[in-house]
Amino acid sequence: MTDHPRPPAMSDVAARAGVSHQTVSRVLNDHPSVRPETRDRVLAAIAELGYRRNSAARALVTRRSGAFGVLTTATGHHGPASTLLEVERAAREVGYYVSVAAVDRFESDTLHSALDHFMDQGVEGVAIIAPQVDVAEAVTAFAAPVPTVMVTSGGGRSSADGLVSVGVDQRAGARDLVRHLVGLGHRDIVHLAGPQDWFDARDRLAGWQEECAAAGLDTREPVRCDWSADAGYRAAQQLIADGLPSAILAANDQLALGVLRACWEHGIDVPGRLSVTGFDDEVGAGFYTPPLTTVRQDFAALGRAAVDALVRSLAGEPAADVSLSATVVLRASTAAPH
């Protein structure tokens, strides 16, 4: 049986550099009391030996892991995936790394198991990027002993008592889209609504309803969908059969993509006969046929806001809920009705 050599320890670095164990620790923690020549000698020994600090042992001593936990949904949806990337980037900018748990079932035991895993790792804070009702309720019931931020629509409207909430104002974004369509002259605007266990979908539906009411429009029932292009395609097929409106506000860009495919198959001109809008401004939305009018969310700002809330909480500062604005991006998929 072959013996595997043990990885180098801090004592090996100390012996190679001719310094004490405490001096190596001071260099690793960037303590200012170490002389430059001593620091260089220790760093050279670390490089020669290939030493890597034991982060678990360091966490036991310092009670700091230098990590945040991020709980997210195990899907490729544009919003959560983009937010996760930006949270990870923002965390690195302030000296933290992230540990990610992606779950595809939102039962309480599954979520609690993931959160328990984070606690075992000694994470210093948790960001939740799964803007769903069941998730918010389960996280609230867990009562994590570290700062926890819910990344959800609107910021502060997640119903998750005791959690700091950061998000983009989905409701205002939907209202802006309706206002744009009304300004073009549309009076029959149908909404393809996303799944209503998502806060984002609820707020986009509410924004459509509120702005249509403000404009005095008589609205049809919203068409209930999931987030997929297939659902948008099937919804459009049914609307074509039942009688097209003059405009469709889809709850995300994928739904809008399905609508555009159905219109192409039936020879329906967009935007000449039907105006179509999406939501999210996902990568490639500007290259749909025609390019899609949609709502852009600043996911980089969202990631920074989530990390900033965690850092503020760790510093003992009050971390208030944050609501960011969305921006309507006007492209060729909308025009005045004919």
Side-chain angles (χ1 to χ4, degrees), residues 203-258:
D203 274 4
R204 293 171 194 179
L205 172 60
W208 167 77
Q209 290 172 326
E210 291 168 359
E211 194 59 34
C212 284
L217 305 186
D218 292 326
T219 57
R220 309 188 197 188
E221 282 296 310
V223 182
R224 310 284 176 168
C225 303
D226 58 30
W227 293 118
S228 68
D230 180 64
Y233 175 81
R234 287 184 278 107
Q237 294 278 24
Q238 191 61 52
L239 287 170
I240 291 168
D242 294 343
L244 272 178
S246 67
I248 290 177
L249 192 159
N252 76 344
D253 292 346
Q254 284 295 301
L255 286 167
L257 178 60

Side-chain angles (χ1 to χ4, degrees), residues 97-177:
Y97 287 88
V98 300
S99 174
V100 179
V103 297
D104 53 11
R105 293 185 301 110
F106 298 120
E107 290 88 350
S108 181
D109 59 341
T110 303
L111 296 172
H112 285 192
S113 176
L115 292 168
D116 277 330
H117 174 67
F118 286 151
M119 298 308 105
D120 290 342
Q121 290 183 321
V123 299
E124 297 179 45
V126 175
I128 312 295
I129 311 174
Q132 289 154 282
V133 177
D134 292 347
V135 176
E137 292 174 350
V139 171
T140 302
F142 183 80
V146 297
T148 303
V149 171
M150 190 80 184
V151 183
T152 184
S153 67
R157 286 204 300 271
S158 69
S159 79
D161 294 336
L163 297 181
V164 174
S165 174
V166 300
V168 176
D169 196 338
Q170 314 287 322
R171 187 176 304 221
R175 294 195 68 157
D176 288 343
L177 273 180

Side-chain angles (χ1 to χ4, degrees), residues 173-182 184 186 247-257 259-260 270-271 274-282 284-297 327-336:
R175 294 195 68 157
D176 288 343
L177 273 180
V178 174
R179 195 174 297 118
H180 163 64
L181 292 170
V182 170
L184 291 173
H186 292 279
I248 290 177
L249 192 159
N252 76 344
D253 292 346
Q254 284 295 301
L255 286 167
L257 178 60
V259 172
L260 294 177
V270 178
L274 176 72
S275 286
V276 179
T277 70
F279 209 107
D280 283 336
D281 195 26
E282 66 176 29
F287 293 89
Y288 289 2
T289 304
L292 186 65
T293 292
T294 184
V295 171
R296 178 178 298 156
Q297 304 184 66
T327 304
V328 173
V329 180
L330 300 179
R331 297 193 180 107
S333 67
T334 54

